Amino acid sequence: MEYEDLIKIKPVLDYDVDEKDSQIALIIRENKPEVYIYGENKVNTFGFPEEVVWADSDRLLITIDPEGGERRGIYEWEKGWEKPKPLLVDKYDNFSPMVTSHGILFISNRDGKTLHLYLYDGNNIENISKGEEPVGRYCTNGELIVYSQGIYDDNIYVSDFGGNTIKELSFNESEQIVPSENCFLNKDKFIFLSNHNDTFGLYSYDMKKDEISSIINVSDYDIQEAVVYNEEKILYTLIKDGKSELLQVPNIRLEKGGYIHDLKVVKNSVYYLMSKHSRATDLYVIEGKLSQRLTDSMNGVKDEFVSPSSITYDSDGIKIHALLYSRGNEDKGVVYIHGGPDFQCVDNFNPEIQFLVKKGFKVICPDYRGSTGYGRKFNHLNDKDLGGGDLHDVINAVKVLKVKKVAVTGASYGGYLTMMAVTKYPDLWCSAVAVVPFVNWFTEKQFEREVLKQYDEIKIGNDEALLRDRSPIFFVDRIRAPLMLLAGQNDPRCPAEETIQVVEELKKLGRQVEYKIYEGEGHGFIKIENYIDSIKRTVEFIANHCR
């Protein structure tokens, strides 16, 4: 695989299946994300389509982000239309639509403070969720709505379509989460996830009996998603040692390996997206016991892609899981830091890592403290300590590589930790690339989008001494490694201004720094030319400075 081959690779970004005729709508990344009807034609769209949802057999809802700024609008398209028409398009961020007999449910920041659940009946928009915390996933049986709301202490709420709360499910100091849009076992009973016993386990709630029952818990690992199919059967996913497993309750394995997500059930078929180290994201379906891949993301692109091995290492007495990519006998390495921090390293298709390995680097991706997948306790080890203990885990990953030269790179929160690494441990690195990073807690908290402001109030707080110590911008004079920064012009999460601050400070010091602000991009690079350029710049910069 060469850089120019990336234009041929066309991963599936989202999909939906019509419940009546099993028609499939897909979003596939080409020069930009494009909407397709499986087996038929492309739907003409603008901007960056992010979600597709069938309203009925002839009408499709499409969520579109015009320029990457997360001010998304919901559009509708009918067969025979030349292009989609605006449905819920205004100055707010409107997304995650679901069609019901009462109208369209969707999530929006239209109160200007957080993300709430709303109902649009064709004329009026009514607020379903209450309070001041953000809503995550939701599901409905057509009469009642179940949604999760909160930050790290999410509760489950059962509401009618008038916004009246009927039931709240809560455990102390834990999160209760809706596992998917297919959450109802029957009209009186639904499933949910809870980590009140540390790892996310699967539970059911019987509304008639007012009774919670445990379905399954997996020690050491979080259940990620769960769906109901064929009435009372349940499928769920978890990530073990960086690789997903798709199982039927209690523990019948249907699929293993790669990164499995976005489970959906239509009639007797189970659909899901899956990516592996050797293949970009494709759509799969299980009918009976047979699993079938429906799309071909790679389009003939092949290489000797390296599969990661799962390892653990000690960091300050804490067991850290990591994925290690190696062909053997490398004398240089890269610490690749995942974003989030609420995420984890997974065995998905990552061309950046594969190119680095091809250039002769051993690459480690650590699940630093605060990562998800290993239970609530581990996920909270970085509370009020962002850029502290998790940075130690990054530094200790260097020892695992056992090579002479080491570079560091990451995006989003991984970009932040990259900047912390080169300012707090300046002599450790042969080069560094920070992608869509933030570097200044004071400006980041001021200008990031509203839901992240809420998150950061809980996760890092307002101690000015701590915020300053954990802001790389105040220590850029310490940087010794060659540094490159990449940012998106319209990024609402880690604004491009964060990157500009570093560039300006280094210029004042008479230092050289490479950087690029991609026009018309947000928190990540979606246009194919920018996507390819960012990967090539990152890999070549690291390779050229770590010979």
Side-chain angles (χ1 to χ4, degrees), residues 182-209:
N182 299 102
C183 78
F184 276 89
L185 287 159
N186 54 53
K187 67 183 183 66
D188 298 316
K189 194 174 184 181
F190 62 84
I191 59 174
F192 66 97
L193 300 177
S194 175
N195 63 3
H196 65 277
N197 288 322
D198 193 33
T199 57
F200 271 113
L202 183 60
Y203 299 82
S204 67
Y205 175 65
D206 189 313
M207 293 183 286
K208 272 191 173 181
K209 297 179 180 178

Side-chain angles (χ1 to χ4, degrees), residues 156-355:
I156 292 281
Y157 295 88
V158 182
S159 169
D160 62 21
F161 277 82
N164 302 300
T165 301
I166 296 170
K167 181 68 179 181
E168 176 183 353
L169 298 182
S170 175
F171 295 96
N172 289 333
E173 296 184 351
S174 64
E175 297 156 80
Q176 284 59 241
I177 296 176
V178 173
S180 73
E181 63 185 41
N182 299 102
C183 78
F184 276 89
L185 287 159
N186 54 53
K187 67 183 183 66
D188 298 316
K189 194 174 184 181
F190 62 84
I191 59 174
F192 66 97
L193 300 177
S194 175
N195 63 3
H196 65 277
N197 288 322
D198 193 33
T199 57
F200 271 113
L202 183 60
Y203 299 82
S204 67
Y205 175 65
D206 189 313
M207 293 183 286
K208 272 191 173 181
K209 297 179 180 178
D210 192 23
E211 181 177 276
I212 294 174
S213 301
S214 175
I215 297 173
I216 190 166
N217 283 270
V218 181
S219 61
D220 300 326
Y221 299 100
D222 289 329
I223 293 176
Q224 307 281 328
E225 293 182 56
V227 294
V228 176
Y229 83 112
N230 283 355
E231 296 179 349
E232 301 236 345
K233 292 182 181 178
I234 300 172
L235 299 182
Y236 65 97
T237 64
L238 55 84
I239 298 172
K240 185 181 293 186
D241 300 328
K243 299 179 187 292
S244 290
E245 295 186 9
L246 173 59
L247 304 106
Q248 179 180 313
V249 171
N251 56 5
I252 302 171
R253 184 181 294 123
L254 303 179
E255 185 78 79
K256 182 181 180 180
Y259 176 44
I260 300 169
H261 55 103
D262 285 355
L263 304 181
K264 294 183 181 182
V265 174
V266 176
K267 299 177 181 176
N268 295 323
S269 300
V270 180
Y271 297 83
Y272 57 95
L273 298 180
M274 181 169 67
S275 172
K276 298 182 178 181
H277 69 277
S278 58
R279 175 170 284 279
T281 305
D282 279 304
L283 176 63
Y284 294 75
V285 62
I286 295 177
E287 295 175 317
K289 295 183 178 180
L290 179 65
S291 174
Q292 179 184 2
R293 176 169 53 81
L294 299 178
T295 58
D296 181 13
S297 61
M298 298 304 287
N299 282 309
V301 176
K302 297 179 180 179
D303 207 333
E304 294 180 2
F305 298 112
V306 174
S307 176
S309 56
S310 175
I311 64 169
T312 61
Y313 63 93
D314 179 82
S315 179
D316 302 340
I318 298 170
K319 182 180 179 180
I320 302 297
H321 292 256
L323 292 182
L324 182 66
Y325 297 77
S326 174
R327 286 179 171 169
N329 301 315
E330 295 95 347
D331 63 355
K332 52 191 177 182
V334 177
V335 179
Y336 185 95
I337 313 173
H338 73 70
D342 292 331
F343 195 59
Q344 65 186 115
C345 303
V346 293
D347 177 27
N348 63 348
F349 183 67
N350 188 318
E352 191 172 299
I353 289 179
Q354 295 296 335
F355 280 124

